[in-house]
Coordinates of all heavy atoms in Angstrom, one line a residue:
M1 N -14.3 8.0 -6.4 CA -14.5 9.1 -7.2 C -14.5 10.4 -6.4 O -14.0 11.4 -7.0 CB -16.0 8.8 -7.8 CG -16.3 9.8 -8.8 SD -15.2 9.8 -10.3 CE -16.1 10.9 -11.3
K2 N -15.1 10.4 -5.3 CA -15.2 11.6 -4.5 C -13.7 12.1 -4.2 O -13.4 13.4 -4.4 CB -15.8 11.4 -3.2 CG -17.3 11.5 -3.1 CD -17.7 11.4 -1.6 CE -19.2 11.3 -1.6 NZ -19.6 11.2 -0.2
R3 N -12.8 11.2 -3.8 CA -11.5 11.6 -3.6 C -10.8 12.1 -4.7 O -10.0 13.0 -4.6 CB -10.7 10.4 -2.9 CG -11.3 9.8 -1.7 CD -10.9 10.5 -0.5 NE -11.4 9.9 0.6 CZ -12.0 10.6 1.7 NH1 -12.2 11.8 1.6 NH2 -12.5 9.9 2.7
F4 N -11.0 11.5 -5.9 CA -10.4 11.9 -7.0 C -10.9 13.5 -7.5 O -10.0 14.2 -7.8 CB -10.8 11.0 -8.3 CG -10.2 11.5 -9.6 CD1 -8.9 11.3 -9.8 CD2 -11.0 11.9 -10.6 CE1 -8.3 11.8 -11.0 CE2 -10.4 12.3 -11.8 CZ -9.0 12.2 -12.0
V5 N -12.2 13.7 -7.3 CA -12.7 15.1 -7.6 C -12.1 16.1 -6.6 O -11.7 17.2 -7.0 CB -14.2 15.1 -7.5 CG1 -14.8 16.5 -7.5 CG2 -14.8 14.3 -8.6
Q6 N -12.0 15.6 -5.3 CA -11.3 16.5 -4.3 C -9.9 16.8 -4.7 O -9.4 18.0 -4.5 CB -11.5 15.9 -2.9 CG -12.9 16.0 -2.4 CD -13.0 15.1 -1.1 OE1 -12.1 14.4 -0.8 NE2 -14.1 15.4 -0.3
F7 N -9.1 15.8 -5.2 CA -7.8 16.0 -5.5 C -7.7 16.9 -6.8 O -6.9 17.7 -6.7 CB -7.2 14.6 -5.9 CG -5.8 14.7 -6.6 CD1 -4.7 15.0 -5.8 CD2 -5.8 14.6 -7.9 CE1 -3.5 15.2 -6.5 CE2 -4.5 14.7 -8.5 CZ -3.4 15.0 -7.8
L8 N -8.6 16.8 -7.7 CA -8.5 17.7 -8.8 C -8.9 19.1 -8.5 O -8.1 20.0 -8.9 CB -9.6 17.2 -9.9 CG -9.2 16.0 -10.8 CD1 -10.3 15.7 -11.7 CD2 -7.9 16.2 -11.5
L9 N -9.7 19.3 -7.6 CA -10.0 20.7 -7.2 C -8.8 21.3 -6.5 O -8.4 22.4 -6.7 CB -11.3 20.7 -6.3 CG -12.5 20.4 -6.9 CD1 -13.7 20.3 -5.9 CD2 -12.9 21.5 -7.9
L10 N -8.2 20.5 -5.6 CA -7.0 21.0 -4.9 C -5.9 21.3 -5.9 O -5.2 22.3 -5.8 CB -6.6 20.0 -3.9 CG -5.3 20.4 -3.1 CD1 -5.5 21.7 -2.3 CD2 -4.9 19.2 -2.2
F11 N -5.6 20.3 -6.8 CA -4.6 20.5 -7.8 C -4.8 21.7 -8.6 O -3.9 22.6 -8.9 CB -4.6 19.3 -8.8 CG -3.7 19.3 -9.8 CD1 -2.3 19.1 -9.6 CD2 -4.0 19.6 -11.2 CE1 -1.4 19.2 -10.6 CE2 -3.2 19.6 -12.1 CZ -1.8 19.4 -12.0
F12 N -6.0 22.0 -9.1 CA -6.3 23.2 -9.9 C -6.1 24.5 -9.1 O -5.7 25.5 -9.5 CB -7.6 23.1 -10.7 CG -7.7 22.2 -11.8 CD1 -8.4 21.1 -11.8 CD2 -6.8 22.3 -12.9 CE1 -8.5 20.2 -12.8 CE2 -6.8 21.4 -13.9 CZ -7.6 20.4 -13.8
A13 N -6.5 24.4 -7.8 CA -6.3 25.6 -7.0 C -4.8 26.0 -6.8 O -4.4 27.1 -6.9 CB -7.0 25.4 -5.7
V14 N -4.0 24.9 -6.6 CA -2.6 25.1 -6.5 C -1.9 25.6 -7.8 O -1.2 26.6 -7.9 CB -1.9 23.9 -6.0 CG1 -0.3 24.0 -6.0 CG2 -2.4 23.5 -4.6
I15 N -2.3 25.0 -8.9 CA -1.8 25.4 -10.3 C -2.1 26.8 -10.5 O -1.3 27.6 -11.1 CB -2.4 24.5 -11.3 CG1 -1.9 23.0 -11.1 CG2 -2.1 24.9 -12.8 CD1 -0.5 22.7 -11.6
T16 N -3.4 27.3 -10.3 CA -3.8 28.6 -10.7 C -3.4 29.6 -9.7 O -3.6 30.8 -9.8 CB -5.3 28.6 -11.0 OG1 -6.0 28.2 -9.8 CG2 -5.7 27.7 -12.1
G17 N -2.8 29.2 -8.5 CA -2.4 30.1 -7.6 C -3.5 30.7 -6.6 O -3.3 31.7 -6.0
L18 N -4.6 30.0 -6.6 CA -5.7 30.4 -5.8 C -5.3 30.2 -4.3 O -4.8 29.3 -4.0 CB -7.0 29.8 -6.1 CG -7.6 30.0 -7.5 CD1 -8.7 29.1 -7.8 CD2 -8.0 31.4 -7.7
Q19 N -5.7 31.1 -3.4 CA -5.5 31.0 -2.1 C -6.8 30.8 -1.4 O -7.6 31.7 -1.3 CB -4.8 32.1 -1.5 CG -3.3 32.3 -2.0 CD -2.6 33.4 -1.4 OE1 -3.3 34.3 -0.9 NE2 -1.4 33.5 -1.5
A20 N -7.1 29.6 -0.9 CA -8.3 29.3 -0.2 C -8.2 29.6 1.3 O -7.1 29.4 1.8 CB -8.7 27.8 -0.4
Q21 N -9.2 30.1 1.9 CA -9.2 30.2 3.4 C -9.3 28.9 4.1 O -9.8 28.0 3.5 CB -10.4 31.1 3.8 CG -10.3 32.4 3.3 CD -11.5 33.4 3.6 OE1 -12.5 32.8 4.2 NE2 -11.4 34.6 3.4
T22 N -8.8 28.9 5.3 CA -8.9 27.7 6.1 C -10.3 27.5 6.5 O -10.9 28.3 7.0 CB -8.0 27.9 7.4 OG1 -6.6 28.0 6.9 CG2 -8.0 26.6 8.3
P23 N -10.8 26.3 6.3 CA -12.2 26.0 6.7 C -12.5 26.0 8.2 O -11.6 25.5 8.8 CB -12.6 24.6 6.0 CG -11.2 24.0 5.8 CD -10.2 25.1 5.6
V24 N -13.5 26.5 8.6 CA -13.9 26.5 10.0 C -14.7 25.2 10.4 O -14.9 24.8 11.4 CB -14.5 27.7 10.5 CG1 -13.7 28.9 10.4 CG2 -15.8 27.9 9.8
A25 N -15.2 24.6 9.3 CA -15.9 23.3 9.4 C -16.0 22.6 8.1 O -16.1 23.2 7.1 CB -17.3 23.5 10.0
S26 N -15.9 21.3 8.1 CA -15.9 20.5 6.9 C -16.6 19.2 7.2 O -16.1 18.4 8.0 CB -14.5 20.2 6.4 OG -14.5 19.4 5.3
Y27 N -17.7 19.0 6.7 CA -18.5 17.8 7.0 C -18.7 17.0 5.7 O -19.4 17.4 4.8 CB -19.9 18.2 7.5 CG -19.9 19.0 8.8 CD1 -20.1 20.3 8.7 CD2 -19.5 18.4 10.0 CE1 -20.0 21.1 9.9 CE2 -19.4 19.2 11.1 CZ -19.7 20.5 11.1 OH -19.6 21.4 12.2
T28 N -17.9 15.9 5.6 CA -17.9 15.2 4.4 C -19.0 14.0 4.3 O -19.3 13.4 3.3 CB -16.6 14.4 4.1 OG1 -16.3 13.6 5.2 CG2 -15.5 15.5 3.9
F29 N -19.5 13.8 5.6 CA -20.7 12.7 5.7 C -20.1 11.4 5.2 O -20.8 10.7 4.5 CB -21.9 13.1 5.0 CG -22.5 14.4 5.4 CD1 -22.7 15.5 4.6 CD2 -22.9 14.6 6.8 CE1 -23.2 16.6 5.1 CE2 -23.4 15.7 7.2 CZ -23.6 16.9 6.4
S30 N -18.9 11.0 5.6 CA -18.3 9.8 5.2 C -18.5 8.8 6.3 O -17.7 8.4 7.0 CB -16.8 10.1 5.0 OG -16.5 10.9 4.0
G31 N -19.8 8.5 6.5 CA -20.2 7.5 7.5 C -20.5 8.1 8.8 O -20.9 7.5 9.7
N32 N -20.3 9.4 9.0 CA -20.5 10.2 10.2 C -20.6 11.7 10.0 O -20.6 12.1 8.9 CB -19.4 9.9 11.2 CG -18.1 10.3 10.7 OD1 -17.9 11.5 10.2 ND2 -17.1 9.4 10.7
T33 N -20.9 12.4 11.1 CA -20.9 13.9 10.9 C -19.8 14.6 11.7 O -20.0 15.6 12.3 CB -22.3 14.4 11.5 OG1 -22.5 14.0 12.8 CG2 -23.5 13.9 10.6
K34 N -18.7 14.0 11.6 CA -17.5 14.5 12.3 C -16.9 15.7 11.4 O -17.0 15.6 10.2 CB -16.4 13.5 12.5 CG -16.8 12.5 13.6 CD -15.8 11.6 14.0 CE -16.2 10.7 15.1 NZ -15.2 9.9 15.6
D35 N -16.4 16.7 12.0 CA -15.8 17.8 11.4 C -14.4 17.4 11.0 O -13.6 17.1 11.8 CB -15.9 19.0 12.3 CG -15.2 20.3 11.8 OD1 -14.9 20.3 10.5 OD2 -15.0 21.2 12.5
G36 N -14.1 17.6 9.6 CA -12.7 17.3 9.1 C -11.8 18.5 9.3 O -10.6 18.3 9.0
S37 N -12.2 19.6 9.8 CA -11.3 20.7 9.9 C -10.5 20.7 11.2 O -10.9 19.8 12.1 CB -12.1 22.1 9.9 OG -12.8 22.3 11.2
A38 N -9.6 21.6 11.4 CA -8.8 21.5 12.7 C -9.7 22.0 13.9 O -9.2 21.7 15.0 CB -7.7 22.6 12.5
F39 N -10.9 22.5 13.7 CA -11.7 23.1 14.8 C -12.4 21.9 15.6 O -12.9 22.1 16.6 CB -12.6 24.1 14.4 CG -11.7 25.4 14.0 CD1 -11.5 25.7 12.7 CD2 -11.3 26.3 15.0 CE1 -10.9 26.9 12.3 CE2 -10.6 27.4 14.6 CZ -10.4 27.7 13.3
K40 N -12.6 20.8 14.8 CA -13.4 19.7 15.4 C -14.8 20.0 16.0 O -15.2 19.7 17.1 CB -12.5 19.0 16.4 CG -11.2 18.5 16.0 CD -11.4 17.4 14.8 CE -10.0 17.0 14.3 NZ -10.1 16.5 13.0
N41 N -15.6 20.8 15.1 CA -16.9 21.1 15.4 C -17.8 20.0 15.0 O -18.6 20.0 14.0 CB -17.4 22.4 14.7 CG -16.6 23.6 15.1 OD1 -16.5 23.9 16.3 ND2 -15.9 24.2 14.1
E42 N -17.8 18.9 15.8 CA -18.5 17.7 15.5 C -20.1 18.0 15.5 O -20.5 18.6 16.4 CB -18.3 16.5 16.4 CG -16.9 16.3 16.9 CD -15.9 15.9 15.8 OE1 -16.1 16.4 14.6 OE2 -14.8 15.3 16.0
A43 N -20.8 17.5 14.5 CA -22.2 17.7 14.4 C -22.9 16.5 14.9 O -22.4 15.5 15.0 CB -22.6 18.1 13.0
S44 N -24.3 16.8 15.3 CA -25.0 15.6 15.8 C -26.3 15.5 14.8 O -26.9 16.6 14.4 CB -25.4 15.8 17.2 OG -26.2 17.0 17.4
V45 N -26.7 14.4 14.6 CA -27.9 14.1 13.7 C -29.1 13.8 14.7 O -29.0 12.9 15.5 CB -27.6 12.9 12.8 CG1 -28.9 12.7 11.9 CG2 -26.4 13.3 12.0
N46 N -30.2 14.4 14.5 CA -31.4 14.2 15.2 C -32.6 14.0 14.3 O -33.0 14.9 13.5 CB -31.7 15.3 16.2 CG -30.6 15.5 17.2 OD1 -30.2 14.8 17.9 ND2 -29.9 16.8 17.0
G47 N -33.2 12.8 14.3 CA -34.4 12.5 13.5 C -34.1 12.5 12.0 O -34.9 12.5 11.1
A48 N -32.9 12.2 11.7 CA -32.4 12.0 10.2 C -31.4 10.8 10.2 O -31.0 10.4 11.3 CB -31.8 13.3 9.7
S49 N -31.1 10.3 9.1 CA -30.2 9.2 9.0 C -29.3 9.3 7.8 O -29.6 9.9 6.8 CB -31.1 7.9 9.0 OG -31.9 7.9 7.9
L50 N -28.1 8.7 8.1 CA -27.1 8.6 7.0 C -27.7 7.6 5.9 O -28.2 6.5 6.3 CB -25.8 8.1 7.5 CG -25.0 9.2 8.2 CD1 -23.9 8.7 9.1 CD2 -24.4 10.3 7.3
T51 N -27.5 7.9 4.7 CA -27.9 7.1 3.6 C -27.0 7.2 2.4 O -26.0 7.8 2.5 CB -29.4 7.5 3.2 OG1 -29.9 6.5 2.3 CG2 -29.3 8.8 2.6
A52 N -27.2 6.4 1.4 CA -26.4 6.4 0.2 C -26.6 7.7 -0.6 O -27.7 8.3 -0.6 CB -26.7 5.3 -0.7
D53 N -25.5 8.3 -1.1 CA -25.7 9.5 -1.9 C -26.1 9.2 -3.3 O -26.4 8.1 -3.6 CB -24.3 10.3 -1.9 CG -23.2 9.6 -2.6 OD1 -23.4 8.6 -3.3 OD2 -22.0 10.1 -2.5
R54 N -26.2 10.3 -4.1 CA -26.7 10.1 -5.5 C -25.9 9.1 -6.3 O -26.3 8.7 -7.4 CB -26.8 11.5 -6.2 CG -25.5 12.1 -6.3 CD -25.7 13.5 -6.9 NE -24.5 14.2 -6.9 CZ -24.1 15.3 -7.4 NH1 -25.1 15.9 -8.1 NH2 -23.0 15.9 -7.4
F55 N -24.6 8.9 -5.9 CA -23.8 8.0 -6.7 C -23.7 6.6 -6.1 O -23.1 5.6 -6.6 CB -22.3 8.5 -6.7 CG -22.2 9.9 -7.3 CD1 -21.9 11.0 -6.6 CD2 -22.4 10.1 -8.6 CE1 -21.7 12.2 -7.1 CE2 -22.4 11.3 -9.2 CZ -22.0 12.4 -8.4
G56 N -24.6 6.4 -5.0 CA -24.7 5.0 -4.5 C -23.6 4.8 -3.3 O -23.6 3.6 -2.8
W57 N -23.0 5.8 -3.0 CA -21.9 5.6 -1.9 C -22.7 5.6 -0.5 O -23.3 6.5 -0.1 CB -20.9 6.8 -1.8 CG -20.0 6.8 -2.9 CD1 -20.2 7.4 -4.2 CD2 -18.7 6.2 -3.0 NE1 -19.1 7.2 -5.0 CE2 -18.2 6.5 -4.3 CE3 -17.9 5.5 -2.1 CZ2 -17.0 6.0 -4.8 CZ3 -16.7 5.1 -2.6 CH2 -16.1 5.3 -3.8
A58 N -22.5 4.4 0.2 CA -23.2 4.2 1.5 C -22.8 5.2 2.5 O -21.6 5.7 2.6 CB -22.9 2.8 2.0
N59 N -23.8 5.7 3.3 CA -23.5 6.7 4.4 C -22.8 7.9 4.0 O -21.9 8.4 4.7 CB -22.7 6.0 5.5 CG -23.5 4.8 6.1 OD1 -24.7 4.9 6.4 ND2 -22.8 3.7 6.4
S60 N -23.1 8.4 2.9 CA -22.4 9.6 2.3 C -23.4 10.8 2.1 O -23.0 11.8 1.5 CB -21.8 9.3 1.0 OG -20.7 8.4 1.3
A61 N -24.7 10.7 2.6 CA -25.6 11.7 2.5 C -26.6 11.5 3.8 O -26.5 10.5 4.4 CB -26.4 11.6 1.2
I62 N -27.4 12.5 4.0 CA -28.3 12.5 5.1 C -29.7 12.6 4.6 O -30.1 13.4 3.7 CB -28.0 13.6 6.1 CG1 -26.6 13.3 6.7 CG2 -29.1 13.7 7.2 CD1 -26.3 14.3 7.8
S63 N -30.6 11.7 5.1 CA -32.0 11.6 4.6 C -32.8 12.2 5.8 O -32.7 11.8 6.9 CB -32.3 10.2 4.4 OG -33.8 10.1 4.1
F64 N -33.7 13.2 5.4 CA -34.6 13.8 6.3 C -36.0 13.3 6.1 O -36.4 13.1 4.9 CB -34.5 15.4 6.3 CG -33.2 15.8 6.6 CD1 -32.2 16.0 5.7 CD2 -32.9 16.2 7.9 CE1 -31.0 16.6 6.1 CE2 -31.7 16.8 8.3 CZ -30.7 17.0 7.3
D65 N -36.8 13.2 7.1 CA -38.2 12.7 6.8 C -39.2 13.9 6.6 O -40.3 13.6 6.3 CB -38.7 11.9 8.1 CG -38.8 12.7 9.4 OD1 -38.6 14.0 9.3 OD2 -39.1 12.1 10.4
G66 N -38.7 15.0 6.6 CA -39.6 16.2 6.3 C -40.4 16.7 7.4 O -41.2 17.6 7.3
K67 N -40.1 16.2 8.6 CA -41.0 16.5 9.7 C -40.1 17.2 10.8 O -40.4 18.3 11.2 CB -41.7 15.3 10.3 CG -42.8 14.7 9.3 CD -43.3 13.5 9.9 CE -44.2 12.8 8.8 NZ -44.7 11.5 9.2
Q68 N -39.2 16.5 11.4 CA -38.4 17.1 12.5 C -36.9 16.7 12.5 O -36.2 17.0 13.4 CB -38.9 16.4 13.8 CG -40.1 17.1 14.4 CD -40.4 16.5 15.8 OE1 -40.4 15.3 16.0 NE2 -40.6 17.4 16.8
G69 N -36.3 16.3 11.4 CA -35.0 16.0 11.4 C -34.1 17.3 11.3 O -34.4 18.3 10.9
A70 N -32.9 17.1 11.9 CA -31.9 18.2 11.9 C -30.4 17.6 12.1 O -30.2 16.6 12.7 CB -32.2 19.2 13.1
V71 N -29.6 18.4 11.5 CA -28.1 18.3 11.8 C -27.7 19.5 12.5 O -27.9 20.6 12.0 CB -27.4 18.0 10.5 CG1 -25.9 17.9 10.8 CG2 -27.9 16.7 9.7
T72 N -27.1 19.3 13.7 CA -26.8 20.5 14.5 C -25.3 20.5 14.8 O -24.8 19.5 15.3 CB -27.6 20.4 15.8 OG1 -29.0 20.2 15.6 CG2 -27.4 21.7 16.7
A73 N -24.7 21.7 14.6 CA -23.2 21.9 14.9 C -23.2 22.7 16.2 O -24.1 23.5 16.4 CB -22.6 22.6 13.6
P74 N -22.1 22.7 16.8 CA -21.9 23.5 18.0 C -22.0 25.0 17.6 O -21.7 25.4 16.6 CB -20.6 23.1 18.6 CG -19.8 22.4 17.5 CD -20.9 21.9 16.5
N75 N -22.4 25.8 18.6 CA -22.5 27.3 18.4 C -21.1 27.9 18.7 O -21.0 28.7 19.6 CB -23.6 27.9 19.3 CG -24.0 29.3 18.9 OD1 -23.6 29.7 17.8 ND2 -24.7 29.9 19.8
A76 N -20.1 27.6 17.9 CA -18.8 28.2 18.1 C -18.6 29.6 17.5 O -19.2 29.9 16.5 CB -17.8 27.2 17.4
A77 N -17.9 30.4 18.2 CA -17.7 31.7 17.7 C -17.2 31.9 16.3 O -17.5 32.8 15.5 CB -16.7 32.5 18.7
H78 N -16.2 31.1 15.9 CA -15.6 31.1 14.6 C -16.6 30.7 13.5 O -16.4 30.9 12.3 CB -14.3 30.3 14.5 CG -14.4 28.9 14.9 ND1 -14.3 28.5 16.2 CD2 -14.8 27.8 14.2 CE1 -14.5 27.2 16.3 NE2 -14.7 26.8 15.0
L79 N -17.7 30.1 13.8 CA -18.8 29.8 12.9 C -19.7 30.9 12.7 O -20.6 31.0 11.8 CB -19.5 28.5 13.3 CG -18.7 27.3 13.3 CD1 -19.6 26.1 13.9 CD2 -18.2 26.9 11.9
Q80 N -19.7 32.0 13.5 CA -20.5 33.1 13.4 C -19.9 34.3 12.8 O -20.5 35.4 12.9 CB -21.0 33.5 14.9 CG -21.7 32.3 15.6 CD -22.1 32.6 17.0 OE1 -22.2 33.7 17.3 NE2 -22.4 31.6 17.8
S81 N -18.8 34.2 12.1 CA -18.1 35.4 11.6 C -18.9 35.9 10.3 O -19.6 35.1 9.7 CB -16.7 34.9 11.1 OG -16.2 35.9 10.2
A82 N -18.9 37.2 10.0 CA -19.6 37.8 9.0 C -18.9 37.3 7.6 O -19.6 37.4 6.6 CB -19.4 39.2 9.0
S83 N -17.7 36.8 7.7 CA -17.1 36.3 6.5 C -17.3 34.8 6.3 O -16.6 34.2 5.4 CB -15.6 36.6 6.4 OG -14.9 36.1 7.5
T84 N -18.0 34.1 7.1 CA -18.2 32.7 6.9 C -19.1 32.4 5.8 O -20.1 33.0 5.6 CB -18.8 32.1 8.2 OG1 -17.9 32.3 9.3 CG2 -19.0 30.6 8.1
T85 N -18.8 31.4 4.9 CA -19.5 31.1 3.8 C -19.9 29.6 3.9 O -19.1 28.8 4.4 CB -18.8 31.1 2.4 OG1 -18.3 32.5 2.3 CG2 -19.5 30.7 1.3
I86 N -21.2 29.2 3.7 CA -21.7 27.8 3.7 C -22.0 27.4 2.4 O -22.7 28.2 1.6 CB -22.9 27.8 4.7 CG1 -22.6 28.3 6.1 CG2 -23.5 26.4 4.7 CD1 -23.7 28.3 7.0
S87 N -21.5 26.1 2.0 CA -21.9 25.6 0.7 C -22.4 24.2 0.9 O -21.9 23.5 1.8 CB -20.7 25.7 -0.3 OG -19.7 24.9 0.2
F88 N -23.2 23.8 0.0 CA -23.7 22.4 0.0 C -23.5 21.8 -1.4 O -23.8 22.5 -2.4 CB -25.2 22.3 0.3 CG -25.6 22.9 1.6 CD1 -25.9 24.2 1.8 CD2 -25.6 22.1 2.7 CE1 -26.2 24.7 3.0 CE2 -25.9 22.5 4.0 CZ -26.2 23.8 4.1
G89 N -22.9 20.6 -1.5 CA -22.5 20.1 -2.8 C -23.5 19.0 -3.2 O -24.3 18.6 -2.5

């Protein structure tokens, strides 16, 4: 289902002529916290764990205990741009 939704978003972006910027980081949480962008800004998980998402997909979300958990990405220069946007789905 996730792949289908991603395909539809890409399809509509191409159809309508929208031009998306190249992502500087993309974390899909597909069993890990690897960066899917060309920059390979791999994140690390500390005090949190991968778990099933709201649709029941295993290892597709991160569960925090509310005390000390964190997901940390490297402090790369291209992640510090004034034009960088962060979104959570």
Side-chain angles (χ1 to χ4, degrees):
M1 182 66 172
K2 276 186 186 181
R3 301 277 184 230
F4 180 69
V5 171
Q6 290 171 342
F7 169 77
L8 284 178
L9 290 173
L10 178 62
F11 177 76
F12 287 119
V14 170
I15 293 283
T16 59
L18 296 175
Q19 294 181 343
Q21 294 178 349
T22 302
V24 294
S26 174
Y27 303 102
T28 61
F29 303 117
S30 300
N32 58 53
T33 56
K34 292 187 177 188
D35 179 10
S37 78
F39 293 100
K40 302 299 178 202
N41 297 302
E42 317 299 29
S44 59
V45 179
N46 301 302
S49 59
L50 286 164
T51 188
D53 67 8
R54 62 185 173 168
F55 301 112
W57 290 87
N59 297 321
S60 296
I62 294 184
S63 176
F64 296 91
D65 64 6
K67 296 177 185 171
Q68 272 189 314
V71 175
T72 308
N75 194 14
H78 54 271
L79 294 175
Q80 299 176 20
S81 167
S83 62
T84 298
T85 301
I86 299 172
S87 69
F88 298 92

